[in-house]
Amino acid sequence: MVSIDACIELMRQEFEKDEMKALIQDFLKRASFSPKWMLYSDYCLDDKNKPNDVLTFVLMPFFNEATYQELKKKINEMQPVDIKHTKNINDEFMSYIKTQAVFCFSFILNDRQQLFGTDETEQIKTVKLLANLKETFARWRDNAGSQQMRDYYSDCVIKIKKQQREIFLKKKVTNHIDVLLITLLASYYTASILKNLPVLHIFGWFPDRDKTNETCDGLAVPIFNALQYGYMDARQYLFCAAKPDSSVVPFYDDENRIADIICGTLADYNIKENLISKEKFDEV
């Protein structure tokens, strides 16, 4: 078992390697050092029919509306449904994705609830890092340039206070662990790449339809924002995100298929036995 702090340290060491620095520079060059970026994500957690819990994130630049719509159209034509609803993966889809400027990263997790401690007491203590986030939102509220933003950050503070009370009463601890795990890993990874940009104007996070993003009063989005801002050394840029709602099909459903295909494949892969359950996973 590895703690979340150790995970962050391992990632820090990975990003310090010359090979990773070269890979990032090559990727950013392919992306023309775009100042606009999108992150898509998909998760497979607690599926009893799968050997792995997986988090997958796909980072890509936004060049312009025409290029974005072309990507959306091609994915819809070549791979119109998620991996669980198809018998095979379109070869043209896989080839097309390889030609695009996308940076994919996944985490295969084992005993993820223990990343924040091996027992409930340790978990509750660690999850109290929400207190630091509450201070961040309070500071942003006090320095907000509009009433709308003051109201937004005030709402974040209220929601975190509510969650702290629930944690104190030992309620929904596992939900908080999942939210913090997803946002910590994704924000650190994206920041480690994007801080190499000379200019960053806007970053958008577009997660898949997953109830994890809706738990804890939808705190995943503002927590991601705050953590990424910190890892970006307080760099100024516009952050936006789709409102988590698992009851509707999001407008970016096609684009998120890249993360879906990768996540579904890794979740199915039995690492110990080197086996997959269906032939379609061998195509990814």
Side-chain angles (χ1 to χ4, degrees), residues 21-279:
K21 291 180 180 179
L23 180 64
I24 291 173
Q25 285 301 311
D26 180 65
F27 168 64
L28 294 178
K29 287 178 182 178
R30 290 183 62 199
S32 301
F33 292 93
S34 173
K36 300 178 181 180
W37 290 82
M38 305 172 292
L39 179 71
Y40 299 95
S41 59
D42 193 30
Y43 326 126
C44 181
L45 301 173
D46 301 320
D47 187 336
K48 295 181 180 180
N49 298 315
K50 300 296 182 181
N52 303 315
D53 289 332
V54 180
L55 308 177
T56 293
F57 303 92
V58 175
L59 182 67
M60 63 177 65
F62 180 90
F63 294 119
N64 52 59
E65 186 64 24
T67 303
Y68 170 76
Q69 290 299 333
E70 180 184 8
L71 172 73
K72 185 180 183 72
K73 180 174 180 293
K74 285 186 175 295
I75 292 177
N76 183 265
E77 290 174 347
M78 293 183 287
Q79 194 66 44
V81 297
D82 287 349
I83 195 168
K84 62 184 176 183
H85 298 306
T86 186
K87 292 183 178 180
N88 48 38
I89 306 300
N90 187 295
D91 289 337
E92 292 184 10
F93 168 75
M94 295 305 302
S95 297
Y96 174 70
I97 295 305
K98 292 176 183 178
T99 67
Q100 301 303 297
V102 296
F103 200 110
C104 307
F105 49 99
S106 297
F107 298 91
I108 298 178
L109 306 169
N110 181 31
D111 296 330
R112 71 182 191 281
Q113 298 295 341
Q114 295 187 27
L115 288 172
F116 287 89
T118 56
D119 59 42
E120 191 175 63
T121 301
E122 290 181 24
Q123 291 172 349
I124 291 174
K125 181 179 179 181
T126 305
V127 171
K128 285 183 179 178
L129 63 88
L130 285 170
N132 295 331
L133 291 165
K134 183 179 68 175
E135 292 178 5
T136 297
F137 291 130
R139 185 169 62 254
W140 288 0
R141 175 199 60 201
D142 296 340
N143 293 288
S146 68
Q147 186 60 47
Q148 181 182 16
M149 294 309 300
R150 280 192 290 275
D151 291 342
Y152 174 76
Y153 293 130
S154 292
D155 187 53
C156 290
V157 172
I158 292 171
K159 287 180 178 179
I160 286 183
K161 287 180 178 179
K162 175 184 175 183
Q163 300 309 320
Q164 286 179 309
R165 287 195 296 271
E166 291 188 345
I167 291 172
F168 180 76
L169 296 173
K170 298 185 179 181
K171 296 179 180 180
K172 301 181 180 179
V173 176
T174 57
N175 287 346
H176 285 284
I177 289 174
D178 281 344
V179 168
L180 290 171
L181 181 62
I182 290 168
T183 54
L184 275 165
L185 295 178
S187 61
Y188 187 89
Y189 221 110
T190 53
S192 297
I193 296 171
L194 298 179
K195 65 171 53 176
N196 293 279
L197 290 168
V199 179
L200 177 61
H201 290 160
I202 185 170
F203 172 89
W205 180 32
F206 305 98
D208 191 26
R209 290 174 288 166
D210 190 288
K211 291 186 178 181
T212 304
N213 297 312
E214 299 175 39
T215 60
C216 307
D217 286 331
L219 277 171
V221 168
I223 287 176
F224 183 106
N225 184 13
L227 291 172
Q228 188 190 56
Y229 178 78
Y231 290 135
M232 290 287 289
D233 300 324
R235 188 169 177 175
Q236 297 298 312
Y237 58 96
L238 181 63
F239 176 92
C240 65
K243 182 178 180 180
D245 188 348
S246 59
S247 65
V248 300
V249 177
F251 68 87
Y252 52 89
D253 196 47
D254 291 322
E255 305 90 284
N256 211 48
R257 193 137 305 119
I258 303 172
D260 169 80
I261 297 296
I262 296 171
C263 184
T265 299
L266 291 176
D268 184 80
Y269 178 48
N270 187 319
I271 299 173
K272 291 182 179 180
E273 303 295 331
N274 193 28
L275 295 173
I276 52 176
S277 67
K278 295 181 177 64
E279 187 176 345

